Amino acid sequence: MKVKIQSKEKMNAEIAKLYIDMVKEKPNCVLGFATGSSPLGVYAKIIEAYQNGEVSFKDVTSFNLDEYVGLDETNDQSYRYFMNHNLFDHIDINKENTHVPSGIGDYEEKAKEYDKLIEEKGGIDLQILGIGSDGHIAFNEPNTPFDSLTHVAELASSTIQDNARFFSSIDEVPTKAVTMGLASIMKAKKIVLIATGLNKADAVKALLEGLVTIKWPCSILRNHPDVTVYVDHDAFSKVK
Ligand code: F6R
C-alpha cells in the first residue's frame, strides 16, 4: 500500500490525472466512483479536463459504490442525484452506462445482480474510495464479513451522525443502504482512497498500522496489491 501525505489540492489533481490517464489509455474502461465530500474536488478537476477538450468519457462505463435505501434519483440526497449533479451532467459519459445501486423497488434483488454486472463489463479498472470515521469503506460498517458482495446494510449510528450534516435533521438520514461488499471492492484492479481531516485520524491509523480485522473494514485494503492512500496531515496525525 502506498501512502501520500499531501494537500487536498494536490491529491485532487493527482487522482483526477489517474482517472483521465486511464480513460485516455483505455477509452472503454470501467471506472468506480464514490459519493460524499471526499471525491468532490477530484470530480471538479475531471470536469475541467473534459471542458478543456482533454478527454472524452463517451465509451466509459461506471459503477458507484452505494445508494441509500428509500431515496430515488429525484431526491437531492440520493447518491444518483449526487453523481448526476457533481459529475455525469458535466461530462459526455452516456448515462445509460453509469450504474448506481438502486435503493428503491426491488432493490434487494437488484443488489444481487450488481457484482455480476460489474464482472460482465470486465471489472473495475480504477476505484476511488472515501473512508468513514469508523473505518467503513462504501457502507461496509465494522463487522461486515470480508467475503461480502453487494448487499443491503444497516448504517452505524456514527455514520448516521456523520452524514446528518447533509440533511435538515438527523431523523431524515436513511438507516439502510445498498452497498458493494468488501469482496466486491477488493476485485477492483486499482484503488485510491482519500482521507482528510482529524475525524478520519483513527480510521487512517487502523488502515495503515492496525491488524487486518473486520472491526476496521478499511484494513482489508492491506491485502490488495494496488492501493494508494492519499491523506492530509490531520488525517495522518495519529500514525506513528
Ligand atoms: C460514499 C461512501 C462512503 C464515504 C464515507 C466518507 O459513496 O461510500 O463510504 O466515502 O462515508 O464520506 P465523506 O467523504 O463525506 O467524509
Side-chain angles (χ1 to χ4, degrees):
M1 194 147 66
K2 271 193 244 155
V3 184
K4 295 194 169 196
I5 309 164
Q6 293 180 345
S7 67
K8 187 88 178 117
E9 184 67 16
K10 186 138 196 281
M11 64 180 86
N12 288 340
E14 263 195 34
I15 299 170
K17 187 169 182 316
L18 289 177
Y19 270 78
I20 293 157
D21 288 349
M22 172 63 74
V23 177
K24 283 183 183 165
E25 266 163 43
K26 187 179 173 188
N28 65 345
C29 64
V30 179
L31 298 178
F33 291 124
T35 59
S37 47
S38 301
L40 277 173
V42 173
Y43 298 161
K45 292 269 178 215
I46 291 175
I47 292 168
E48 213 176 284
Y50 168 70
Q51 287 173 346
N52 292 339
E54 228 184 282
V55 62
S56 166
F57 295 84
K58 70 179 179 44
D59 296 322
V60 165
T61 296
S62 75
F63 287 91
N64 261 77
L65 292 168
D66 40 21
E67 178 61 281
Y68 286 123
V69 166
L71 305 191
D72 71 15
E73 67 174 89
T74 62
N75 187 308
D76 62 5
Q77 291 307 331
S78 75
Y79 286 171
R80 163 54 80 177
Y81 183 99
F82 176 105
M83 288 310 299
N84 288 347
H85 192 71
N86 290 301
L87 185 61
F88 301 150
D89 286 346
H90 310 287
I91 59 177
D92 63 345
I93 198 165
N94 179 348
K95 282 243 183 86
E96 282 176 17
N97 297 334
T98 66
H99 304 276
V100 179
S102 173
I104 53 164
D106 53 352
Y107 61 88
E108 280 175 310
E109 281 311 303
K110 285 193 193 140
K112 289 182 195 152
E113 291 158 19
Y114 204 66
D115 291 87
K116 210 163 63 198
L117 192 59
I118 297 173
E119 212 168 298
E120 277 166 20
K121 301 291 175 187
I124 294 172
D125 291 298
L126 176 58
Q127 174 69 58
I128 189 167
L129 298 176
I131 187 169
S133 59
D134 62 357
H136 70 233
I137 49 174
F139 275 130
N140 295 286
E141 298 287 15
N143 301 317
T144 304
F146 278 178
D147 62 357
S148 51
L149 296 174
T150 304
H151 63 285
V152 179
E154 298 275 343
L155 271 53
S157 55
S158 59
T159 302
I160 293 172
Q161 268 161 33
D162 286 347
N163 290 0
R165 68 189 194 280
F166 299 115
F167 293 81
S168 44
S169 94
I170 195 161
D171 302 332
E172 281 176 31
V173 186
T175 55
K176 282 194 210 168
V178 178
T179 180
M180 277 168 63
L182 292 169
S184 324
I185 293 170
M186 288 293 280
K187 285 184 196 153
K189 290 162 203 160
K190 181 177 184 65
I191 296 176
V192 291
L193 182 146
I194 298 189
T196 59
L198 272 180
N199 70 325
K200 303 290 172 73
D202 288 321
V204 167
K205 187 177 170 61
L207 169 65
L208 301 179
E209 287 186 343
L211 298 173
V212 175
T213 164
I214 59 169
K215 290 191 180 130
W216 289 98
C218 56
S219 67
I220 194 175
L221 296 174
R222 296 239 293 278
N223 295 338
H224 190 285
D226 190 353
V227 177
T228 306
V229 176
Y230 290 81
V231 283
D232 67 0
H233 285 282
D234 282 344
F236 194 69
S237 60
K238 292 195 177 170
V239 177
K240 286 195 191 99

